[in-house]
Amino acid sequence: MGPQATWDEVRAFVCDTAKLEATAALLEWDDHTYMPSKAGGYRADQVTLLSGMIHRRLTDQRLGEMLEQLSTSDLMSDPHSPTAASVRVLLKDFKRNSRLPVELVEATTKATTLGQQAWEAARAANSWNSFEPHMETIFSLKRQEAELLRDAGTLYDALLDQYEQGARSESLTQVFAGLRDSLVELVKRLSESTHKPNGHAWNRSVPVELQRKTSRWVAERIGYEFKRGRLDETSHPFCTTLGPDDCRILTRFQTEYFPSGFYGTLHEAGHGMYEQGLPTDWYGLPAGAAASLGVHESQSRMWENFIGRSREFWQWALPELQPQVGGAWNDLTAEQLFRDANRVQPSLIRVEADEVTYNLHILIRFEIEQELIAGDLKVSDAPQAWNDRYDQYLGIRPPTDADGVLQDIHWSAGLIGYFPTYTLGNIYAAQLMDAARAELGELDRQVARGEFEPLLSWLKRNIHNSGQCYHPGELVQRACGHPLDPQPLVNYLRQKLEPVYGLA
Amino acid sequence: MGPQATWDEVRAFVCDTAKLEATAALLEWDDHTYMPSKAGGYRADQVTLLSGMIHRRLTDQRLGEMLEQLSTSDLMSDPHSPTAASVRVLLKDFKRNSRLPVELVEATTKATTLGQQAWEAARAANSWNSFEPHMETIFSLKRQEAELLRDAGTLYDALLDQYEQGARSESLTQVFAGLRDSLVELVKRLSESTHKPNGHAWNRSVPVELQRKTSRWVAERIGYEFKRGRLDETSHPFCTTLGPDDCRILTRFQTEYFPSGFYGTLHEAGHGMYEQGLPTDWYGLPAGAAASLGVHESQSRMWENFIGRSREFWQWALPELQPQVGGAWNDLTAEQLFRDANRVQPSLIRVEADEVTYNLHILIRFEIEQELIAGDLKVSDAPQAWNDRYDQYLGIRPPTDADGVLQDIHWSAGLIGYFPTYTLGNIYAAQLMDAARAELGELDRQVARGEFEPLLSWLKRNIHNSGQCYHPGELVQRACGHPLDPQPLVNYLRQKLEPVYGLA
């Protein structure tokens, strides 16, 4: 069999596996949206069964042999061609997956499906005790996984690599430390300002019925395609892809706090537009998949923060939104909304944090999960460690575990090593924005006119269309001309926030 | 391996297959409810892949061998025990499924998934031509299937047997013919009455927002459990089971025609309560599955018609519903609603037909699909045959194919041999109602008080809890003491309708 025929067979096999993965994703989307309350146990069994079947396919011996053959064939001559990149990533994944026994994969799936259900209940009831045994099980399983996956580096690195290929905790710690010093300094200066945004714009009550419409409207205006997606509600917003033309986003609304649903939507729509911009012909293969979680997060952060919290955005959006929010904003100016969208103050909930302190929330989770995986911290001590660090980095202490260690879904879902990609995303986003602004020339004026297509096209050309044809760092470097560098993020935050706080 | 160990292995294997079937059912439920419009092609591929995987499991050689062993073991000593009944049905299904090549199963799944999508569009656009090629493909595949399945009897019988075990078109034709003569005579007498219900009660416009709430309310009141189900909207109402604690119902609302959503909900809730009443411990096995489609339909018809169109139901429901429909019904009496719910007149749309003419709609479909499968009628001639028969049996001719041959989803979904089970359900329902009324003593007074639990409990005891431990005919006979007999249905219709029409 020649390499082309081998590749055709691999491709068909891998794309069938992707159909099962998309099916499992639908089971999970439904679990988070419309599933009846008593159906959770059986749903966990279904997801577990599918995860086992998928794992058996991912580790199929014949697949591995064909990938080995292809990896030395002439199909690899251009390493960045969709085929060569796909073969390279598939072989790497095959080798990694082959280290994990199906029993561990199934046990992890079951533990995390039940874990998420337990987390949902525990968070609502502020009951760490009911969640702790699930957390024990999940971290124990993830530690086993890390031990099987580790080559060089720490156990934690073995998990991190799944979300951000090639990332290492040591170098991330350095990058984050530098960022932290700049941000702590900036927070301090802002806190001493006498010209702070007062947040009054967000005190207006807007009925959820209306917020549903504004969210749908803004997602559509920035370029999220509803014929290939939809917007639903859930307790922990996310974005999930169920097929080449089916990427769904979810948000949550609070009558008394408009930004929760609105910025949640901009964020998830940013993820969704990346997925919708991937080459559909390559769906199910690495060349049709997002480069990394960090790059993914750069897209969501860009639309949520760099665009959605800009002065130009509110100049465009306010007159459009005023008729949509039932009179609640009639006396507001774009400048007020812009200022209140840029209020910086230490707070308890990550997903509602401002752009500056957000990265400190990430740092706390990054440190705690490293210690948990290394065995330096016991699961039962996690709430205490969490609260102590909030004291230390943010100067506030969560009054309840629901506002503390229980606030995020990630650990219950087995997503360990995932959090640092959020800050990586912020860093990438700043680098990409600089590049896009330089190339587009009048980006800010386009935003002020509600023209988002030029930026989206730039992102499609420079990021989305490439799938995984380049390593994440390489992809961003090609787009902006520089390797990973936190300085553009620091510059962006200073340049935007100092004038807001009367410090410029 | 002893029979118990063999059974344990069979049971685990079959229950895993059921998890995949429930997963495919979710893919289909989503296709009919929330899936983005452009996602249909990939969804068809997913359902097709799963159907192939399921078929391979259903025809697994080792499964067949184990079932053969079990079928002569001492586990079969009580033929109506859950285990014995499950082994018997599983072996029968295994033998039937083993006659169908996986290619045919996958081709049928793909054709019917695409067929339903095409039907949806064709019905909306009144475009028979766009649907005809799908119909050709589907009937051709079903004919191949029937040829492989047929033992004795006609090709049509081979399809019918999948929905109603043991039914034969010849005997059904006889039962239906007798019923038809009585019903045509009744319709004629009613049409000559000078005291007809005028239907004005249903002319009141009720906003869909309110109808959603009334439908949910009534489903809950009659006993459908929302913690184990949900109510959604779709173009062709149905009920689908996605797990032991997840049975979902769907209806459709029309602002100007309240009964559409309301009776649609009662009907589907009747199906749903049957599914919810099956023994959950046996989920995935025949002992935990509905006895047949005819028995299923007896449950939906009972709640929709025998209960929901009774005088006592409206005596209870009107004062409850008046505050829920926003003033639209303030001047109505229970007697008016009861009369208008029992208006008999020939009409075009089956799902909106009255209880009497409904069976004539079924007869038309039963005749046409038999001719199509036998090859006596060409698919391209189906619209003409349809319209001619509506002329002949009901005295009206559909002005469009959307109101004619395109109105039902069934053929697009490959459900051929399914229609006669609707009339079987009506016959069974009348027999069961007589038995329940005799045993409960004061059923009508209970309904007038909104007490539905006694009837539901009777149904659970006599029908739901038995799963497939008895053949459908046997199950109904045990519950009511008589074999299949259309006379109770005729008596029920005469006794209810003659007074309404001033003929008693």
Side-chain angles (χ1 to χ4, degrees), chain A residues 7 10-19 21-22 58 86 90 93 241 243-244 275 278-290 468, chain B residues 42:
Chain A
W7 170 238
V10 165
R11 185 172 179 152
F13 183 82
V14 170
C15 285
D16 275 353
T17 309
K19 284 173 203 146
E21 288 168 331
L58 293 175
S86 294
L90 286 170
D93 289 349
T241 294
E275 293 285 315
L278 294 166
T280 53
D281 288 353
W282 288 89
Y283 181 84
L285 296 159
Q468 296 185 350
Chain B
Y42 192 75

Short mmCIF file of all heavy atoms in Angstrom, two decimals, chain A residues 7 10-19 21-22 58 86 90 93 241 243-244 275 278-290 468, chain B residues 42:
data_model
loop_
_atom_site.label_atom_id
_atom_site.label_comp_id
_atom_site.label_asym_id
_atom_site.label_seq_id
_atom_site.Cartn_x
_atom_site.Cartn_y
_atom_site.Cartn_z
N TRP A 7 -2.62 6.86 3.94
CA TRP A 7 -3.17 8.09 4.51
C TRP A 7 -4.69 8.13 4.38
O TRP A 7 -5.39 8.53 5.32
CB TRP A 7 -2.50 9.31 3.87
CG TRP A 7 -3.17 10.60 4.24
CD1 TRP A 7 -3.71 11.52 3.40
CD2 TRP A 7 -3.37 11.13 5.57
NE1 TRP A 7 -4.24 12.58 4.09
CE2 TRP A 7 -4.05 12.35 5.44
CE3 TRP A 7 -3.05 10.66 6.85
CZ2 TRP A 7 -4.42 13.14 6.54
CZ3 TRP A 7 -3.42 11.44 7.96
CH2 TRP A 7 -4.09 12.66 7.78
N VAL A 10 -6.01 5.96 7.11
CA VAL A 10 -5.86 6.63 8.42
C VAL A 10 -6.90 7.73 8.56
O VAL A 10 -7.57 7.86 9.59
CB VAL A 10 -4.44 7.21 8.57
CG1 VAL A 10 -4.37 8.21 9.72
CG2 VAL A 10 -3.42 6.09 8.77
N ARG A 11 -7.03 8.50 7.52
CA ARG A 11 -7.92 9.66 7.57
C ARG A 11 -9.37 9.23 7.84
O ARG A 11 -10.05 9.80 8.69
CB ARG A 11 -7.81 10.42 6.25
CG ARG A 11 -8.60 11.69 6.24
CD ARG A 11 -8.32 12.53 4.98
NE ARG A 11 -9.15 13.72 5.07
CZ ARG A 11 -8.89 14.89 4.54
NH1 ARG A 11 -7.80 15.06 3.82
NH2 ARG A 11 -9.70 15.91 4.69
N ALA A 12 -9.82 8.20 7.13
CA ALA A 12 -11.20 7.72 7.32
C ALA A 12 -11.39 7.20 8.74
O ALA A 12 -12.40 7.47 9.39
CB ALA A 12 -11.51 6.63 6.29
N PHE A 13 -10.38 6.47 9.22
CA PHE A 13 -10.49 5.89 10.57
C PHE A 13 -10.53 6.99 11.63
O PHE A 13 -11.36 6.98 12.53
CB PHE A 13 -9.29 4.95 10.79
CG PHE A 13 -9.31 4.24 12.11
CD1 PHE A 13 -10.08 3.10 12.28
CD2 PHE A 13 -8.57 4.71 13.19
CE1 PHE A 13 -10.11 2.43 13.51
CE2 PHE A 13 -8.58 4.05 14.41
CZ PHE A 13 -9.35 2.92 14.57
N VAL A 14 -9.62 7.96 11.49
CA VAL A 14 -9.55 9.05 12.48
C VAL A 14 -10.81 9.91 12.42
O VAL A 14 -11.33 10.35 13.45
CB VAL A 14 -8.27 9.89 12.24
CG1 VAL A 14 -8.29 11.16 13.08
CG2 VAL A 14 -7.03 9.05 12.55
N CYS A 15 -11.34 10.13 11.23
CA CYS A 15 -12.56 10.94 11.12
C CYS A 15 -13.76 10.22 11.72
O CYS A 15 -14.67 10.87 12.26
CB CYS A 15 -12.81 11.35 9.67
SG CYS A 15 -11.68 12.67 9.15
N ASP A 16 -13.79 8.90 11.65
CA ASP A 16 -14.86 8.17 12.35
C ASP A 16 -14.72 8.31 13.86
O ASP A 16 -15.71 8.45 14.58
CB ASP A 16 -14.86 6.69 11.95
CG ASP A 16 -15.66 6.44 10.67
OD1 ASP A 16 -16.31 7.39 10.18
OD2 ASP A 16 -15.65 5.30 10.17
N THR A 17 -13.48 8.26 14.34
CA THR A 17 -13.27 8.48 15.77
C THR A 17 -13.78 9.87 16.17
O THR A 17 -14.41 10.03 17.22
CB THR A 17 -11.77 8.36 16.12
OG1 THR A 17 -11.28 7.13 15.60
CG2 THR A 17 -11.55 8.40 17.63
N ALA A 18 -13.52 10.84 15.30
CA ALA A 18 -13.99 12.21 15.59
C ALA A 18 -15.51 12.27 15.68
O ALA A 18 -16.07 13.04 16.47
CB ALA A 18 -13.48 13.18 14.52
N LYS A 19 -16.18 11.44 14.88
CA LYS A 19 -17.66 11.42 14.98
C LYS A 19 -18.11 10.93 16.35
O LYS A 19 -19.08 11.42 16.90
CB LYS A 19 -18.24 10.52 13.88
CG LYS A 19 -18.23 11.15 12.51
CD LYS A 19 -18.67 10.16 11.42
CE LYS A 19 -18.11 10.61 10.08
NZ LYS A 19 -17.76 9.50 9.21
N GLU A 21 -16.28 11.25 19.06
CA GLU A 21 -15.91 12.31 20.01
C GLU A 21 -16.95 13.43 19.99
O GLU A 21 -17.33 13.96 21.04
CB GLU A 21 -14.51 12.87 19.67
CG GLU A 21 -13.41 11.86 20.03
CD GLU A 21 -12.04 12.23 19.45
OE1 GLU A 21 -11.98 12.88 18.38
OE2 GLU A 21 -11.02 11.83 20.05
N ALA A 22 -17.42 13.77 18.79
CA ALA A 22 -18.47 14.80 18.68
C ALA A 22 -19.76 14.31 19.33
O ALA A 22 -20.52 15.11 19.89
CB ALA A 22 -18.70 15.17 17.22
N LEU A 58 -8.16 5.29 19.45
CA LEU A 58 -6.97 6.15 19.47
C LEU A 58 -5.69 5.34 19.64
O LEU A 58 -4.61 5.79 19.26
CB LEU A 58 -7.07 7.18 20.60
CG LEU A 58 -8.16 8.25 20.47
CD1 LEU A 58 -8.20 9.12 21.73
CD2 LEU A 58 -7.92 9.13 19.24
N SER A 86 -0.81 16.74 10.32
CA SER A 86 -1.77 15.82 10.93
C SER A 86 -1.10 14.51 11.32
O SER A 86 -1.32 13.98 12.41
CB SER A 86 -2.94 15.57 9.97
OG SER A 86 -3.68 16.77 9.77
N LEU A 90 -0.94 13.25 15.09
CA LEU A 90 -1.63 11.98 15.35
C LEU A 90 -0.68 10.94 15.94
O LEU A 90 -1.04 10.19 16.85
CB LEU A 90 -2.27 11.44 14.06
CG LEU A 90 -3.52 12.16 13.57
CD1 LEU A 90 -3.89 11.69 12.16
CD2 LEU A 90 -4.70 11.95 14.52
N ASP A 93 0.05 11.86 19.51
CA ASP A 93 -1.12 11.52 20.33
C ASP A 93 -1.25 10.00 20.50
O ASP A 93 -1.58 9.52 21.58
CB ASP A 93 -2.41 12.06 19.69
CG ASP A 93 -2.49 13.57 19.78
OD1 ASP A 93 -1.67 14.18 20.50
OD2 ASP A 93 -3.37 14.15 19.12
N THR A 241 -17.64 21.99 20.43
CA THR A 241 -17.79 21.73 19.01
C THR A 241 -18.36 20.34 18.79
O THR A 241 -17.81 19.35 19.28
CB THR A 241 -16.44 21.91 18.30
OG1 THR A 241 -16.11 23.30 18.39
CG2 THR A 241 -16.54 21.53 16.83
N GLY A 243 -19.38 19.23 15.61
CA GLY A 243 -19.29 18.88 14.19
C GLY A 243 -18.68 20.06 13.44
O GLY A 243 -18.51 21.14 14.01
N PRO A 244 -18.35 19.87 12.15
CA PRO A 244 -17.71 20.95 11.39
C PRO A 244 -18.61 22.18 11.26
O PRO A 244 -18.10 23.29 11.09
CB PRO A 244 -17.45 20.31 10.02
CG PRO A 244 -18.36 19.14 9.94
CD PRO A 244 -18.55 18.66 11.34
N GLU A 275 -13.32 28.22 16.29
CA GLU A 275 -13.75 26.90 15.82
C GLU A 275 -14.43 26.99 14.46
O GLU A 275 -14.22 26.16 13.58
CB GLU A 275 -14.71 26.27 16.84
CG GLU A 275 -14.06 25.91 18.17
CD GLU A 275 -13.17 24.66 18.09
OE1 GLU A 275 -13.60 23.67 17.49
OE2 GLU A 275 -12.03 24.70 18.61
N LEU A 278 -11.91 27.31 11.54
CA LEU A 278 -11.01 26.21 11.20
C LEU A 278 -11.43 25.60 9.86
O LEU A 278 -12.60 25.65 9.50
CB LEU A 278 -11.07 25.14 12.29
CG LEU A 278 -10.51 25.56 13.66
CD1 LEU A 278 -10.93 24.57 14.74
CD2 LEU A 278 -8.99 25.66 13.60
N PRO A 279 -10.47 25.03 9.12
CA PRO A 279 -10.84 24.47 7.81
C PRO A 279 -11.76 23.26 7.95
O PRO A 279 -11.33 22.22 8.49
CB PRO A 279 -9.49 24.09 7.18
CG PRO A 279 -8.47 24.22 8.23
CD PRO A 279 -9.03 24.96 9.39
N THR A 280 -13.00 23.36 7.50
CA THR A 280 -13.97 22.27 7.70
C THR A 280 -13.58 21.00 6.95
O THR A 280 -13.91 19.91 7.37
CB THR A 280 -15.39 22.69 7.27
OG1 THR A 280 -15.32 23.18 5.93
CG2 THR A 280 -15.95 23.77 8.17
N ASP A 281 -12.85 21.16 5.83
CA ASP A 281 -12.42 19.96 5.09
C ASP A 281 -11.54 19.06 5.93
O ASP A 281 -11.39 17.87 5.63
CB ASP A 281 -11.62 20.36 3.84
CG ASP A 281 -12.52 20.97 2.79
OD1 ASP A 281 -13.75 20.95 2.97
OD2 ASP A 281 -11.97 21.47 1.79
N TRP A 282 -10.91 19.64 6.92
CA TRP A 282 -9.99 18.87 7.75
C TRP A 282 -10.59 18.57 9.11
O TRP A 282 -9.88 18.15 10.03
CB TRP A 282 -8.65 19.63 7.89
CG TRP A 282 -7.90 19.60 6.60
CD1 TRP A 282 -7.99 20.49 5.57
CD2 TRP A 282 -6.98 18.59 6.17
NE1 TRP A 282 -7.18 20.10 4.53
CE2 TRP A 282 -6.54 18.94 4.87
CE3 TRP A 282 -6.48 17.42 6.77
CZ2 TRP A 282 -5.64 18.15 4.16
CZ3 TRP A 282 -5.58 16.65 6.06
CH2 TRP A 282 -5.17 17.02 4.76
N TYR A 283 -11.89 18.74 9.25
CA TYR A 283 -12.53 18.47 10.53
C TYR A 283 -12.22 17.06 11.01
O TYR A 283 -12.31 16.10 10.24
CB TYR A 283 -14.06 18.64 10.44
CG TYR A 283 -14.72 18.38 11.77
CD1 TYR A 283 -14.80 19.39 12.73
CD2 TYR A 283 -15.18 17.12 12.11
CE1 TYR A 283 -15.36 19.16 13.97
CE2 TYR A 283 -15.73 16.87 13.36
CZ TYR A 283 -15.81 17.88 14.29
OH TYR A 283 -16.35 17.64 15.52
N GLY A 284 -11.86 16.94 12.26
CA GLY A 284 -11.58 15.62 12.83
C GLY A 284 -10.10 15.28 12.81
O GLY A 284 -9.67 14.32 13.43
N LEU A 285 -9.31 16.07 12.08
CA LEU A 285 -7.87 15.85 11.97
C LEU A 285 -7.14 17.06 12.58
O LEU A 285 -7.71 18.14 12.66
CB LEU A 285 -7.48 15.70 10.50
CG LEU A 285 -8.09 14.46 9.83
CD1 LEU A 285 -8.11 14.63 8.31
CD2 LEU A 285 -7.30 13.21 10.23
N PRO A 286 -5.87 16.88 12.97
CA PRO A 286 -5.15 18.01 13.56
C PRO A 286 -5.14 19.26 12.68
O PRO A 286 -5.25 20.37 13.19
CB PRO A 286 -3.74 17.44 13.77
CG PRO A 286 -4.00 15.98 14.06
CD PRO A 286 -5.13 15.61 13.13
N ALA A 287 -5.05 19.10 11.37
CA ALA A 287 -5.03 20.29 10.49
C ALA A 287 -6.35 21.06 10.55
O ALA A 287 -6.42 22.21 10.13
CB ALA A 287 -4.73 19.88 9.05
N GLY A 288 -7.39 20.43 11.10
CA GLY A 288 -8.68 21.11 11.23
C GLY A 288 -9.02 21.43 12.67
O GLY A 288 -10.19 21.74 12.96
N ALA A 289 -8.03 21.36 13.56
CA ALA A 289 -8.30 21.59 14.99
C ALA A 289 -7.52 22.80 15.50
O ALA A 289 -6.48 23.17 14.95
CB ALA A 289 -7.94 20.35 15.79
N ALA A 290 -7.99 23.38 16.59
CA ALA A 290 -7.33 24.55 17.18
C ALA A 290 -5.91 24.22 17.62
O ALA A 290 -5.62 23.11 18.06
CB ALA A 290 -8.14 25.05 18.37
N GLN A 468 -3.61 22.99 13.22
CA GLN A 468 -2.40 22.67 13.98
C GLN A 468 -1.20 22.49 13.06
O GLN A 468 -0.28 21.72 13.37
CB GLN A 468 -2.62 21.39 14.82
CG GLN A 468 -3.70 21.56 15.88
CD GLN A 468 -3.84 20.34 16.78
OE1 GLN A 468 -3.27 19.28 16.51
NE2 GLN A 468 -4.60 20.50 17.85
N TYR B 42 -23.43 16.32 8.70
CA TYR B 42 -22.52 15.62 9.61
C TYR B 42 -23.30 14.78 10.61
O TYR B 42 -22.90 13.68 10.97
CB TYR B 42 -21.64 16.63 10.34
CG TYR B 42 -20.49 16.00 11.08
CD1 TYR B 42 -19.39 15.52 10.39
CD2 TYR B 42 -20.50 15.87 12.46
CE1 TYR B 42 -18.32 14.93 11.06
CE2 TYR B 42 -19.45 15.30 13.14
CZ TYR B 42 -18.35 14.83 12.43
OH TYR B 42 -17.30 14.25 13.10
#
